[in-house]
Amino acid sequence: MGSASVIQTNPELDLVLERVVDVPRELVWAAWTKPEHIKKWFTPAPWTTVDCEIDLRPGGIFRTVMRSPEGQEISGAGCYLEIVPNEKLVWTSALSPGYRPAIKGTGTGSCEELYFTAIILIEAQGTRTKYSAIAIHGDRATSKRHEEMGFYQGWGTALDQLVTLAKTF
Amino acid sequence: MGSASVIQTNPELDLVLERVVDVPRELVWAAWTKPEHIKKWFTPAPWTTVDCEIDLRPGGIFRTVMRSPEGQEISGAGCYLEIVPNEKLVWTSALSPGYRPAIKGTGTGSCEELYFTAIILIEAQGTRTKYSAIAIHGDRATSKRHEEMGFYQGWGTALDQLVTLAKTF
């Protein structure tokens, strides 16, 4: 079935970060799919990602533990939906591993409660990469909350960190 | 990625209907994937399925409208996750089409509120088919509610109807 899936973005409900970055898409893919890399870029400083688990299969776990400078931890385990190497990565926080519907209040911290599906699209532009990160929400309230939590700045800063890291590969 | 996905059933949370039926698996697959067939078997009589929409791609819509003898309608639109022809069909009510997280209270009737992921596995046994329908839930309360709504009898009766229909193909 591969990349012939259904993506329907809605400007009222979704948040999109789009940028061309100066690293090849294979390195962007590597940064997104290996726990040791995720730990180095995924959380905008001064927060850190202290743990990460990746089972890169549909239904497989994508788990991160983020820690604030004060030591507060937010953990969440989502589930991969689509994996097209060097092209597309889709996961959701609305399903736990094994496609199990997530239940509100079972994560630690507030992130678990924010259900969204993330679609990362990467496309070669010479040696650079067109990068799109799309957060898909169920309603306007959740989308607005995600935006107010600092989606654009947070995901933008994390992308800067990803690029800085990928240049060291 | 195909069939190498992650399925982790949990007897505390999941409901499983398993049976060997006397029709080839290609016909079971057809019955599950064409709206005109779904309308004829999906809902245990005296309920009927009066409408059905299928976009058989990951992220694609699976929508049904069920009607009671008194005219009450229950509609719900879920989303396909995996399609492996003649082998495995996975969809969830926890995501709307396009992998959009479902929002409680937006469907009509009570079915929309019951989040589960359905996994249909079919396997040839000569000219017969080993049929497994697994309903994956996020917590025990939802699983129990689904069981009390008549999961075993409902899905069993629907399977009888599927077999009767498939024999006419």
Side-chain angles (χ1 to χ4, degrees), chain A residues 1 4-6 8 10 13-14 55 57-60 81-83 95 98-101 103 115-117 136-139, chain B residues 1 4-6 8 10 13-14 55 57-60 81-83 94 98-101 103 115-117 136-139:
Chain A
M1 296 285 139
S5 64
V6 179
Q8 294 157 323
N10 176 338
L13 301 179
D14 306 327
D55 181 355
R57 295 178 289 168
L81 298 174
E82 284 190 60
I83 298 119
L95 297 175
Y99 302 129
R100 190 173 296 284
I103 297 291
Y115 292 149
F116 67 100
T117 296
I136 305 259
H137 307 91
D139 60 11
Chain B
M1 295 287 139
S5 65
V6 179
Q8 294 157 322
N10 177 338
L13 301 180
D14 306 327
D55 181 355
R57 296 179 288 168
L81 299 174
E82 285 189 61
I83 298 118
Y99 302 130
R100 190 173 297 283
I103 296 290
Y115 291 150
F116 67 100
T117 296
I136 306 258
H137 307 90
D139 59 12

Side-chain angles (χ1 to χ4, degrees), chain A residues 115-130:
Chain A
Y115 292 149
F116 67 100
T117 296
I119 301 173
I120 309 297
L121 300 171
I122 53 182
E123 203 181 306
Q125 290 206 341
T127 59
R128 311 175 81 195
T129 301
K130 183 178 167 196

Side-chain angles (χ1 to χ4, degrees), chain A residues 48-99:
Chain A
T48 53
T49 304
V50 293
D51 199 8
C52 175
E53 189 179 349
I54 287 177
D55 181 355
L56 206 60
R57 295 178 289 168
I61 194 170
F62 177 45
R63 184 177 65 84
T64 55
V65 181
M66 300 182 273
R67 185 182 289 161
S68 77
E70 295 76 31
Q72 183 202 355
E73 290 195 350
I74 295 179
S75 70
C79 165
Y80 289 107
L81 298 174
E82 284 190 60
I83 298 119
V84 185
N86 302 318
E87 265 183 46
K88 177 163 63 166
L89 188 65
V90 182
W91 90 94
T92 187
S93 66
L95 297 175
S96 304
Y99 302 129

Side-chain angles (χ1 to χ4, degrees), chain B residues 43 48-52 63-67 73-76 108:
Chain B
T43 319
T48 53
T49 304
V50 292
D51 199 9
C52 174
R63 184 177 65 84
T64 55
V65 180
M66 300 182 273
R67 185 182 290 162
E73 291 197 350
I74 295 180
S75 70
T108 63

